[in-house]
Amino acid sequence: MLPQLPEMSTAKWLPFLHTQATPFLFLMLLHIAVFSTVTHTTGAQNTTTAVGSSSTIDLDALIAIKSMIKYDPQGVLSSWNDSLHFCQWQGVTCSPRHQRVTVLNLSSGRLLGSLSPSIGNLSFLREIRVQTNSLSGEIPPEVGRLFRLKILRLHNNSFEGNIPASLSNCSNLQDLHLGFNRLAGKIPDDLGSLSMLRTLIIHRNYLRGGIPPFIRNLTLLNTLSLARCGLGGSIPDFFHQLSSLRRIALPGNDLVGTIPPSLYGLSSLEELFLDNNQLTGRLPMNLGSILPRLQLLSLNDNRLTGPLPPSVLSSSALEILDVTRNNLSGKIVITSREACNLRVLSLSSNHFGSGEDDEKKLIDALSFCSKLEVLDIGNNQMRGFLPESLWNLSTKLSFLSLASNAFSGGLPSSVIFQEALAAAASLRI
Ligand SMILES: *[C@@H]1O[C@H](CO)[C@@H](O)[C@H](O)[C@H]1NC(C)=O
Ligand SMILES: *[C@@H]1O[C@H](CO)[C@@H](O)[C@H](O)[C@H]1NC(C)=O
Ligand SMILES: *[C@@H]1O[C@H](CO)[C@@H](O)[C@H](O)[C@H]1NC(C)=O
Ligand SMILES: *[C@@H]1O[C@H](CO)[C@@H](O)[C@H](O)[C@H]1NC(C)=O
Ligand SMILES: *[C@@H]1O[C@H](CO)[C@@H](O)[C@H](O)[C@H]1NC(C)=O
Ligand SMILES: *[C@@H]1O[C@H](CO)[C@@H](O)[C@H](O)[C@H]1NC(C)=O
Ligand SMILES: *[C@@H]1O[C@H](CO)[C@@H](O)[C@H](O)[C@H]1NC(C)=O
Ligand SMILES: *[C@@H]1O[C@H](CO)[C@@H](O)[C@H](O)[C@H]1NC(C)=O
């Protein structure tokens, strides 16, 4: 098992999601920039607390929400009492003029219970942040009444049942995060009407029905994760209009077929996770140049064949490349020695190796990658003498495996064992 890297600053946006064999790609959740606009233009004139007034509607809804919380170990809701106006309650933000609730933030409160359907009565809500609690039960379809909603974060709870189709009525929604729940069924097609969506994260649920075709219509989408949902099917060739996409994560979905051409047209793409599927086919030779901003490419545990395009390893943007356990073969070539930013290179368990002395050239080239932390080329068909430049690899190296190849001659002996390499967490040669 590989050691975990101390620091993985790329791709903080996903709590990955990997098998034990590649723990260096365990990643953390992205906390996307906070939207702070809490103004509104229309709405209630009546700000008194008379029965039936707009303020009473919000108050009643908040009280109903509190009543569905069965356990509140941190006393998050203890300020929700008569001694304060509800706009002063912890986690509640109101519009200054009309005193209507615009933000509900109960995140990381360790709250146990469910989400009251009355939340649908907080009609001025722009943000719901109730992630990282222990909320169960269904996502109330009444949320679909909140047409001003921009942010809906329900992730890291125990919500179950289907994703309500009514969410499609939240036409201003920009950020929808439902990951790490127990949601089941098909992702409703109606969500295709959420044309303002920038972030769509539904990873780690129990969904089916393939990658929904409606995603092609979400042209502002920046981040898409449907990781580890068991969706099945293939990756649709529907990325033509999704040019804002920076991050795509579809690992662990039993996906079959090839990586569609339109995905390679996403020239702004920075992170691509397609690992742990059953994808086949070859990678395009110009991959590195058509995706020039790609920092992270995770393709491990698929059935890809053919060579690793030289343009990939030569891209100065690339920091993490994992193609472990595929059927890739041939020479590994780095054409450029400039500006190598590689931190993780895992090529293990493929059929790499040309029978020539290319591996020497690879290691020579990698000695210019001063940020390299993990190098795993084990379990391939590489051969030849290990070059002296092995000892010139990055001083940051914490994992090196060359095992199960056909290297001969043993370790180069006439060189000084580099301090950092000696201290490496693991050395398998
Ligand atoms: C009501 O909320 C206030 C403000 O947080 C708090 O000081 C007070 O103890 C609360 N009262 C009750 C009965 O919980
Ligand atoms: C939401 O509340 C939590 C806990 O009080 C706090 O840490 C976080 O900064 C708040 N988030 C926003 C966007 O206000
Ligand atoms: C929403 O507010 C209306 C009017 O005050 C009320 O009749 C209704 O029961 C509320 N709905 C929920 C789900 O609380
Ligand atoms: C999910 O919630 C648990 C506690 O409920 C917390 O320890 C963990 O960090 C959270 N994970 C994410 C990805 O927010
Ligand atoms: C969206 O709102 C309209 C009007 O209130 C309603 O007729 C429709 O059923 C809603 N859509 C969904 C999917 O709930
Ligand atoms: C995408 O949008 C077009 C035009 O609005 C619409 O006709 C089509 O049905 C939508 N496709 C999907 C898959 O939602
Ligand atoms: C990998 O390639 C070998 C020989 O080229 C073939 O026998 C095997 O079936 C392939 N495996 C996969 C998973 O495609
Ligand atoms: C290792 O690096 C040193 C210093 O940069 C250089 O002089 C030496 O030639 C390199 N050795 C190999 C084998 O590349």
Side-chain angles (χ1 to χ4, degrees):
M1 188 168 128
L2 307 186
Q4 195 156 354
L5 285 184
E7 208 181 319
M8 247 331 138
S9 61
T10 320
K12 279 199 274 292
W13 64 290
L14 288 172
F16 269 83
L17 298 167
H18 274 267
T19 59
Q20 286 175 329
T22 52
F24 48 79
L25 288 176
F26 270 103
L27 302 166
M28 303 196 322
L29 218 85
L30 175 72
H31 296 287
I32 293 168
V34 170
F35 290 73
S36 56
T37 325
V38 291
T39 54
H40 65 82
T41 49
T42 62
Q45 308 307 313
N46 187 350
T47 57
T48 72
T49 53
V51 174
S53 75
S54 49
S55 282
T56 311
I57 291 174
D58 283 12
L59 177 63
D60 290 347
L62 290 170
I63 289 170
I65 288 167
K66 182 178 178 178
S67 74
M68 301 290 272
I69 304 300
K70 302 303 174 202
Y71 184 54
D72 175 11
Q74 296 175 338
V76 173
L77 303 180
S78 63
S79 68
W80 290 35
N81 67 45
D82 288 342
S83 71
L84 292 175
H85 188 272
F86 65 78
C87 290
Q88 261 86 55
W89 291 356
Q90 186 178 339
V92 175
T93 304
C94 292
S95 56
R97 270 182 68 210
H98 300 295
Q99 302 279 287
R100 302 300 303 265
V101 178
T102 54
V103 178
L104 186 63
N105 174 14
L106 300 174
S107 61
S108 307
R110 299 176 63 197
L111 300 171
L112 183 72
S114 57
L115 191 58
S116 168
S118 300
I119 198 165
N121 268 357
L122 295 172
S123 49
F124 284 76
L125 269 182
R126 287 159 194 276
E127 303 180 17
I128 298 177
R129 300 172 187 269
V130 299
Q131 72 269 22
T132 310
N133 283 292
S134 299
L135 301 176
S136 55
E138 300 205 339
I139 298 173
E142 287 79 0
V143 173
R145 292 162 56 183
L146 303 173
F147 65 89
R148 294 185 174 87
L149 207 59
K150 287 186 175 169
I151 298 177
L152 179 56
R153 296 200 182 164
L154 305 179
H155 58 278
N156 206 10
N157 279 292
S158 301
F159 286 111
E160 57 218 0
N162 293 337
I163 299 172
S166 63
L167 294 185
S168 60
N169 272 340
C170 301
S171 52
N172 286 300
L173 208 55
Q174 297 181 356
D175 179 343
L176 178 58
H177 198 331
L178 305 177
F180 284 92
N181 278 294
R182 296 177 184 164
L183 299 166
K186 206 171 162 286
I187 302 172
D189 289 336
D190 310 66
L191 300 192
S193 65
L194 297 176
S195 59
M196 306 295 278
L197 271 188
R198 266 80 165 165
T199 301
L200 178 60
I201 300 181
I202 316 189
H203 53 223
R204 289 276 189 175
N205 281 289
Y206 306 107
L207 304 168
R208 60 180 167 78
I211 296 171
F214 69 76
I215 288 174
R216 76 166 71 238
N217 277 0
L218 306 180
T219 53
L220 300 179
L221 212 55
N222 170 296
T223 298
L224 171 67
S225 177
L226 305 174
R228 299 198 184 267
C229 283
L231 286 168
S234 58
I235 307 176
D237 192 14
F238 66 3
F239 294 93
H240 301 93
Q241 289 169 54
L242 302 182
S243 57
S244 298
L245 270 173
R246 300 274 188 283
R247 304 178 268 226
I248 300 177
L250 304 170
N253 275 305
D254 291 325
L255 300 172
V256 297
T258 57
I259 301 172
S262 65
L263 195 151
Y264 295 123
L266 299 174
S267 57
S268 299
L269 202 61
E270 291 167 8
E271 295 171 11
L272 179 60
F273 295 86
L274 298 175
D275 52 273
N276 289 283
N277 285 299
Q278 297 165 43
L279 298 171
T280 51
R282 300 161 72 95
L283 299 170
M285 290 311 277
N286 57 353
L287 181 59
S289 51
I290 54 181
L291 298 179
R293 299 196 187 158
L294 204 60
Q295 295 165 13
L296 188 157
L297 181 58
S298 179
L299 298 173
N300 55 283
D301 298 279
N302 278 292
R303 297 176 182 173
L304 301 170
T305 48
L308 184 70
S311 60
V312 176
L313 282 180
S314 304
S315 159
S316 61
L318 195 70
E319 295 180 25
I320 297 176
L321 176 68
D322 190 351
V323 295
T324 306
R325 287 179 297 277
N326 276 284
N327 236 359
L328 299 169
S329 56
K331 273 186 205 188
I332 297 175
V333 183
I334 304 185
T335 53
S336 159
R337 291 180 163 185
E338 288 154 31
C340 176
N341 282 306
L342 270 179
R343 292 192 289 136
V344 174
L345 178 59
S346 183
L347 308 174
S348 69
S349 302
N350 280 286
H351 307 293
F352 289 124
S354 59
E356 300 162 24
D357 238 4
D358 300 308
E359 286 65 60
K360 176 178 178 336
K361 290 185 198 128
L362 171 69
I363 290 171
D364 285 350
L366 287 173
S367 62
F368 288 82
C369 302
S370 61
K371 297 172 182 164
L372 198 63
E373 294 167 60
V374 170
L375 174 60
D376 187 356
I377 58 177
N379 198 16
N380 277 293
Q381 290 154 17
M382 304 199 187
R383 59 184 67 237
F385 283 91
L386 286 170
E388 303 268 311
S389 59
L390 191 60
W391 307 125
N392 270 6
L393 289 175
S394 152
T395 55
K396 300 213 170 73
L397 202 66
S398 65
F399 180 87
L400 172 65
S401 174
L402 311 176
S404 302
N405 278 291
F407 290 121
S408 53
L411 292 176
S413 55
S414 63
V415 286
I416 299 162
F417 210 86
Q418 233 185 52
E419 214 175 290
L421 200 51
S426 182
L427 182 62
R428 292 189 217 157
I429 299 181

